[in-house]
Amino acid sequence: MDLAYRYQLLPMSFSCLTTIILLLGSVLALVKDGQEIDRLALLEFKTRIADPSGVLSSWNDSSHFCDWDGVTCGRKHRRVTILDLGSKNLSGVVPPHIGNMSFLRGVNLENNSFHAKIPPHFGRLLRLQKLSLNNNSFSSQIPSNLSYCSNLLVLDLGINMLKGNLPIELGSLSKLQELILQVNSLMGNIPPSIGNLSSLQMFATSENNFGGMIPKTLGQLRNLEFLLLAVNKFVGTIPISIFNISSVEGLDVGENQLEWGLPGDLGFTLPNIEIISMGDNHLIGPIPESISNASNLEVLNVSNNQLFGQIPKFLESLNLTNLSLSYNDFEGALPTGGFFKSAISTLVMGNKKLCGGLPDFQLPKCYYKELKRTRISGIAKILLSTVSTLVGVACILSLLYFFWFRHNKNASALSSSEDGFLHVSYHNLLKATGGFSSTNLLGMGNFGSVCRGLLDQTQSVVAIKILDLTCDGASKSFIAECEVLRRIRHRNLVKVLMACSGFDFNGNDFKALVYEFMSNGSLDEWLHPTASQYIERNNLSLLERVNIAIDVACALDYLHHHYEMPIVHCDLKPSNVLLDDEMNGHVGDFGLARFLPEATHKLVADQSSSVGVKGSFGYIAPGNEAHLGSFSLFL
């Protein structure tokens, strides 16, 4: 290369060098600008929260922000990559500026007192891998744009006050390994899109208000280890596909409204399965033999269901540490080997047909009738054969008679009585309420409690009022309510379906009334809702209040003026006004009601009548009940 040509290249070399220097300067400027954005975002975060313990005292200009407590930066760009402020006694509102720290990979704010909504600006953190907001007071809905954080591995929003539905957009987080939402007020169905989270290892929604069916798409989560859906409102059956996920270690669907039986063809392909919890549901049927394939099973809880049949002996061979079969309909001899040698960690109470077992279980002895071999003469054989044939024919005719006329008869557990009600047994009410489980408790009254139940005979949801006969006047209340409700019929009065008057399994007197179920609860719950009811319900409008008042007035007008013997309710109050699914008012609880043998017009005009009207203090309306206490029940 000649000298002239080299001189021609020299300006070009200087030009390239200049360009490189300018580019480097621009990059350095961008880096410095990015660092300044992070610093300002951290300072804005500090100004928005309360820090009584002085954890953020180091957040000042005396040191670089990468040296501040709880802040971790990357070595290359010196940008904030981790913000770890868990368990620091902090409170306040997380500012939207947190979305400006674009290099964040981890945010941990758990075990503090942050409130208000989760900033949707988290959705701008495209590098974010872990977001832990567990155990705070965040409210409102889960931001749907968290789905933009495509690198998320852990999303922990448990123990907050979140409400609304689970966004279907979260189903696009293909790298997500843990989705933790337990102890919130979330509702609606689990979206089928959750089945697209192919990397998910833990899905926890316990203690929310989720309902509907458990989606079958959860069976697609082939890497799932823990599925925790307890204490919700799920109905229907447990999808079989879930039991066939080989990686599952823990399955908890307890305290829901799941029904039908445990699938007999469960694969349990479940060898890592260690925990199966299905207690407090409406499961029916025997324990399937396929559970014997779960060789690593340690905890099995199927208590408070309607399972029946014998307790299988294969449970003796499992390495269980806790077994709960209580309050079902199991029968026969209790196994005595393996895990059944311990009455401490094996619970079988509430199964009235069980017998045998080791003495610690305190079950009755099993009695077996032994057939004695005797010689039977030829004539005796003929007689025995003839009698057997006749008995067989009689049984067949009886069955034909039963099936022919069964459409004119009530269910076997129900019978008519002189009081005009269908009668139901204590055993059927025990099954309908899951052993009078607290999860079915609807409320408490003056003389007892009201539980939600599912009757086997009608497959309908009912409200069951259980009298506490230890209360003074409870028996009289039962008699009074039966006397009133068997006579009256009106669209604005709660309809009684059947009654129970007998004894429990301990020989104690037992009385209960079964009513039609009012899906919207009592007027008192709408006028004075609890904290959880505030989230689920809107306030009653003026029109709704007026309509309910009219419904109650119509019911009282019927009781006072349009029945052959006037009736005074004596205890009219918001908790005794029940609302159906169309918000129509129904008057209930006639335990203090009185029949007036004299003409009511005189009584209404004369407030000093000596009938002896009693009721709840503050709700005894002066004069005619139809005035509704100057309409104060609804304000």
Side-chain angles (χ1 to χ4, degrees), residues 51-312:
D51 178 21
S53 302
V55 175
L56 307 183
S57 59
S58 64
W59 290 26
N60 54 59
D61 292 334
S62 62
S63 60
H64 192 275
F65 65 83
C66 290
D67 297 324
W68 293 352
D69 289 340
V71 177
T72 301
C73 294
R75 294 182 179 180
K76 184 176 181 181
H77 298 292
R78 301 290 286 172
R79 299 289 303 274
V80 178
T81 57
I82 295 177
L83 183 61
D84 185 2
L85 297 175
S87 304
K88 301 298 185 183
N89 195 27
L90 304 175
S91 62
V93 177
V94 177
H97 302 75
I98 197 168
N100 295 338
M101 293 185 283
S102 57
F103 277 67
L104 271 175
R105 290 186 288 108
V107 176
N108 178 16
L109 303 180
E110 64 182 13
N111 301 323
N112 284 294
S113 299
F114 293 107
H115 59 273
K117 67 180 182 180
I118 298 174
H121 303 78
F122 275 116
R124 298 165 54 182
L125 303 176
L126 304 184
R127 293 179 172 87
L128 193 63
Q129 296 178 356
K130 180 176 180 179
L131 177 59
S132 180
L133 307 180
N134 177 63
N135 196 15
N136 280 280
S137 299
F138 289 107
S139 57
S140 191
Q141 298 183 341
I142 298 175
S144 60
N145 63 355
L146 287 179
S147 60
Y148 297 157
C149 303
S150 58
N151 288 298
L152 262 182
L153 302 178
V154 176
L155 179 57
D156 186 353
L157 308 179
I159 316 180
N160 280 285
M161 296 187 293
L162 299 173
K163 58 185 180 181
N165 296 330
L166 182 60
I168 60 175
E169 293 84 355
L170 297 185
S172 65
L173 297 173
S174 60
K175 298 181 181 179
L176 194 64
Q177 297 176 1
E178 296 182 15
L179 179 55
I180 303 173
L181 308 170
Q182 82 276 6
V183 194
N184 278 287
S185 297
L186 298 169
M187 61 182 66
N189 296 341
I190 298 293
S193 62
I194 297 299
N196 297 330
L197 302 179
S198 57
S199 300
L200 200 63
Q201 298 174 7
M202 174 180 286
F203 184 41
T205 69
S206 299
E207 298 189 48
N208 277 281
N209 293 311
F210 287 115
M213 304 280 286
I214 298 176
K216 295 181 180 179
T217 55
L218 295 185
Q220 302 171 188
L221 304 176
R222 311 317 299 177
N223 294 304
L224 194 65
E225 296 179 359
F226 294 94
L227 180 60
L228 311 178
L229 309 178
V231 196
N232 279 284
K233 299 177 181 178
F234 293 113
V235 298
T237 59
I238 306 170
I240 298 177
S241 57
I242 291 177
F243 294 97
N244 293 328
I245 303 176
S246 60
S247 58
V248 169
E249 298 180 18
L251 172 64
D252 188 357
V253 294
E255 295 190 53
N256 279 285
Q257 300 170 24
L258 298 170
E259 51 195 18
W260 303 112
L262 299 174
D265 55 351
L266 300 182
F268 284 105
T269 55
L270 263 151
N272 295 323
I273 188 71
E274 297 178 359
I275 299 174
I276 300 177
S277 179
M278 303 180 184
D280 295 281
N281 279 287
H282 306 301
L283 302 178
I284 303 173
I287 295 179
E289 188 174 356
S290 54
I291 289 184
S292 61
N293 297 330
S295 56
N296 290 329
L297 189 63
E298 295 182 1
V299 176
L300 176 61
N301 180 3
V302 293
S303 61
N304 288 294
N305 280 289
Q306 300 167 37
L307 302 178
F308 55 78
Q310 291 191 335
I311 296 177

Side-chain angles (χ1 to χ4, degrees), residues 295-344:
S295 56
N296 290 329
L297 189 63
E298 295 182 1
V299 176
L300 176 61
N301 180 3
V302 293
S303 61
N304 288 294
N305 280 289
Q306 300 167 37
L307 302 178
F308 55 78
Q310 291 191 335
I311 296 177
K313 289 185 65 65
F314 66 73
L315 293 178
E316 294 177 330
S317 62
L318 297 178
N319 296 318
L320 295 171
T321 60
N322 186 281
L323 175 65
S324 182
L325 307 175
S326 57
Y327 296 102
N328 281 284
D329 290 325
F330 292 117
E331 61 184 19
L334 184 71
T336 57
F339 191 70
F340 292 94
K341 295 180 180 179
S342 171
I344 298 177

Side-chain angles (χ1 to χ4, degrees), residues 220 359 426 442 460 605 611:
Q220 302 171 188
Y426 168 82
L442 297 177
S460 58
V611 174

Side-chain angles (χ1 to χ4, degrees), residues 421 445-448 450 465 467-468 471-486 488 493-494 496 513 515 559 567-573 575-576 587-595 612-616 625:
F421 296 135
N446 292 329
F447 298 116
V450 180
K465 179 179 180 181
L467 277 294
D468 182 1
C471 295
D472 187 27
S475 295
K476 293 182 179 179
S477 172
F478 177 79
I479 295 172
E481 194 152 8
C482 288
E483 184 68 15
V484 172
L485 293 176
R486 77 182 181 90
I488 58 178
L493 297 176
V494 176
V496 65
L513 288 169
Y515 301 91
L559 294 173
I567 300 171
V568 179
H569 186 282
C570 296
D571 198 18
L572 186 64
K573 55 187 178 181
S575 60
N576 289 339
V587 176
D589 198 347
F590 286 81
L592 298 178
R594 298 288 185 272
F595 288 97
V613 176
K614 298 180 180 179
S616 295
E625 281 181 325

